[in-house]
Amino acid sequence: MSADIEKLAKIVYDAQINATAISQLSETESFTLEEAYRVQAKSIDMRLDAGEHRVGMKMGFTSRAKMIQMGVDDMIWGRLTNSMLVEDGGEIDFSKYVHPRVEPEIAYLLKSDLEGPVSTMEAWNAVEAIAPAMEIIDSRYENFKFTVEDVVADNSSSSGFVIGQWCFPEIDISNLGMVMEFDGRAVQIGSSAAILGHPARSLATASRMVAEDGEKLSAGDIVMAGGATAAEALYEGVSVRNSVEDLGFCGFGVSK
Ligand code: 0L1
Ligand code: MG
């Protein structure tokens, strides 16, 4: 029997909007990965109907460190809306999250559409600008425990993102040092090379994966390349910064 997409989408939508922890959908429902992406699309449609706007997408599980941390071996993707954007230098309200974590990333701003399978060079040629970034992931599942189908249905845990100053894409981004700090103390150190060997590969993969769902990346979209390291749990009062060699930094604080 096929999954009730509408019912599952409403469950994750409610959990996302109200920041409440839910049991894994897979404990009571049987659904495929393809159905999980339909649940994700439907739940985001509910958010768009409620007034949010689509601004781009995120890639997930793009580094070995993330795959090992979460016990998976494939990439996933999710959708970004305007309400998820956290102002660089701003503050998030801890009570609006279930159990948020943060990971250091690089973001792309596209100047032209990308549709279907493309080479890394074609993907790179579609980039208007790049920026240091961070993703706030907040699985709505109790204890951050899920199957790949569960997490995809829950928008691949995406909950917030921070973008630093946009830079021209002339910079070689293949192996940039990245340091994420909590209150000035390094908590994750990595390299952009950890993102699929070269972060531009993540953009090409994004184009291919969204096409499998009948979507494309459009000029003006923001694409989060994926975490370069494992994610760190956020807590009240902490001040977070991600510095990326040659690109600069971005940061935010968490309310007390
Ligand atoms: O790398 C990612 O952005 C994956 C997020 C989904 C899994 C998680 O919640 O850690
Ligand atoms: Mg991420």
Side-chain angles (χ1 to χ4, degrees):
M1 208 176 75
S2 57
D4 185 340
I5 305 296
E6 184 91 26
K7 181 182 93 176
L8 299 182
K10 183 70 169 74
I11 293 171
V12 289
Y13 169 79
D14 286 342
Q16 288 171 12
I17 295 307
N18 301 316
T20 45
I22 54 173
S23 306
Q24 289 177 236
L25 299 179
S26 61
E27 281 177 3
T28 52
E29 310 279 338
S30 166
F31 56 105
T32 64
L33 187 58
E34 190 262 330
E35 287 170 326
Y37 276 110
R38 285 170 54 208
V39 172
Q40 180 192 125
K42 190 71 182 168
S43 66
I44 295 294
D45 281 348
M46 291 173 184
R47 293 176 68 147
L48 301 187
D49 288 346
E52 296 181 39
H53 310 288
R54 175 191 177 283
V55 295
M57 55 86 65
K58 62 150 282 182
M59 287 297 292
F61 298 149
T62 49
S63 72
R64 284 308 301 161
K66 274 294 303 212
M67 287 188 186
I68 290 165
Q69 182 180 36
M70 304 315 292
V72 299
D73 56 12
D74 214 356
M75 283 166 286
I76 57 175
W77 67 279
R79 292 159 165 95
L80 303 176
T81 74
N82 62 319
S83 77
M84 299 178 194
L85 179 63
V86 174
E87 194 188 343
D88 185 22
E91 183 176 275
I92 64 164
D93 180 348
F94 194 72
S95 70
K96 297 228 160 72
Y97 297 81
V98 182
H99 37 209
R101 297 178 179 178
V102 62
E103 53 192 20
E105 303 211 7
I106 285 173
Y108 299 109
L109 179 65
L110 299 188
K111 64 179 174 198
S112 48
D113 296 358
L114 281 173
E115 198 161 3
V118 292
S119 67
T120 305
M121 188 56 79
E122 285 168 320
W124 185 246
N125 286 339
V127 174
E128 169 86 34
I130 49 183
M134 284 183 277
E135 186 186 18
I136 300 169
I137 52 174
D138 190 28
S139 173
R140 272 46 66 149
Y141 299 112
E142 286 154 359
N143 305 316
F144 243 101
K145 290 266 182 293
F146 41 70
T147 62
V148 173
E149 290 79 13
D150 284 323
V151 69
V152 164
D154 179 29
N155 199 27
S156 298
S157 297
S158 203
S159 181
F161 62 100
V162 186
I163 309 267
Q165 191 87 37
W166 289 111
C167 310
F168 293 114
E170 276 84 49
I171 296 162
D172 175 6
I173 61 164
S174 59
N175 186 15
L176 300 178
M178 297 169 76
V179 181
M180 190 167 74
E181 293 164 290
F182 278 13
D183 294 327
R185 178 178 51 89
V187 288
Q188 289 289 343
I189 299 175
S191 160
S192 60
I195 305 168
L196 293 183
H198 190 305
R201 279 201 195 115
S202 177
L203 186 56
T205 305
S207 179
R208 175 181 59 76
M209 288 186 88
V210 300
E212 285 162 10
D213 254 28
E215 297 214 12
K216 66 171 184 176
L217 301 175
S218 302
D221 274 0
I222 291 167
V223 178
M224 298 287 285
T229 70
E232 282 290 323
L234 289 169
Y235 47 86
E236 287 168 283
V238 70
S239 177
V240 185
R241 173 194 269 231
N242 177 29
S243 303
V244 182
E245 186 183 357
D246 293 344
L247 292 188
F249 61 86
C250 61
F252 66 98
V254 182
S255 66
K256 285 205 168 69

